Amino acid sequence: MADRFQIVIVGRSKSKWANAAVDDYAQRLRRHGGVSETAVKTENFHGDAAAVQQAEGERILKAAGNAVLIVLDERGERLDSHQFAQLVDASRQEGSVVFALGGAYGHSPQTRQAAARVVRLSDMVVNHEVARVMLYEQLYRAMTLLAGAPYHH
């Protein structure tokens, strides 16, 4: 059986602390259907951020396939944890769900347009590893809220 959720990131994580946190939340999410992570290749920067966004965006969209795509982007809508849980619930009822974290230059306009929703994790700019950990934690929080578990209080 495939995992309920997939997270697509740009580039492979080399951060031990972030990988440890992600592994912890991924383990917790197993009882809620599971989560898998796919890393797409980082595009080399040659002075054109839009070209990097475009190339990485094409890789993200290919990895997402026909799943419900939720793009995490600093220009996205603000959701509190309860609203995020409602988004997760509605999206999983439509089919497979993919959350996409962009690379250093963010998402292309085409990637944002292809998404079912574009959501921000914070009003602050956070680095890629922090955003990745935040996404896993919020996904776990959403699943516990939906299950009525005591994690969120």
Side-chain angles (χ1 to χ4, degrees):
M1 180 179 145
D3 291 320
R4 177 171 286 182
F5 303 106
Q6 179 183 6
I7 296 176
V8 176
I9 64 171
V10 175
R12 297 218 183 274
S13 173
K14 296 176 182 143
S15 173
K16 290 180 183 178
W17 69 266
N19 288 336
V22 163
D23 290 346
D24 179 55
Y25 285 112
Q27 176 71 29
R28 295 178 192 203
L29 282 162
R30 284 186 186 158
R31 72 188 83 143
H32 298 284
V35 61
S36 61
E37 184 173 286
T38 301
V40 298
K41 182 181 177 288
T42 304
E43 185 70 14
N44 291 327
F45 180 73
H46 297 290
D48 186 353
V52 171
Q53 289 176 336
Q54 181 67 31
E56 291 174 350
E58 289 170 4
R59 293 177 189 127
I60 288 169
L61 293 176
K62 183 177 179 183
N66 294 325
V68 175
L69 177 62
I70 300 171
V71 166
L72 288 300
D73 187 275
E74 64 187 17
R75 293 169 290 264
E77 63 185 296
R78 290 179 179 97
L79 299 178
D80 64 24
S81 294
H82 291 279
Q83 292 167 323
F84 185 73
Q86 292 169 351
L87 170 62
V88 168
D89 191 37
S91 299
R92 70 181 176 162
Q93 292 184 36
E94 291 182 38
S96 298
V97 182
V98 171
F99 295 91
L101 287 169
Y105 297 96
H107 290 287
S108 69
Q110 295 83 356
T111 306
R112 289 192 303 273
Q113 289 168 356
R117 297 281 286 275
V118 180
V119 176
R120 70 175 52 199
L121 286 171
S122 173
D123 285 342
M124 295 181 188
V125 175
V126 296
N127 80 26
H128 193 73
E129 296 296 351
V130 172
R132 183 170 159 250
V133 172
M134 287 175 64
L135 173 57
Y136 275 83
E137 191 279 335
Q138 284 299 304
L139 186 54
Y140 177 68
R141 183 177 298 276
M143 295 309 293
T144 60
L145 278 166
L146 295 170
Y151 179 77
H152 180 82
H153 47 88

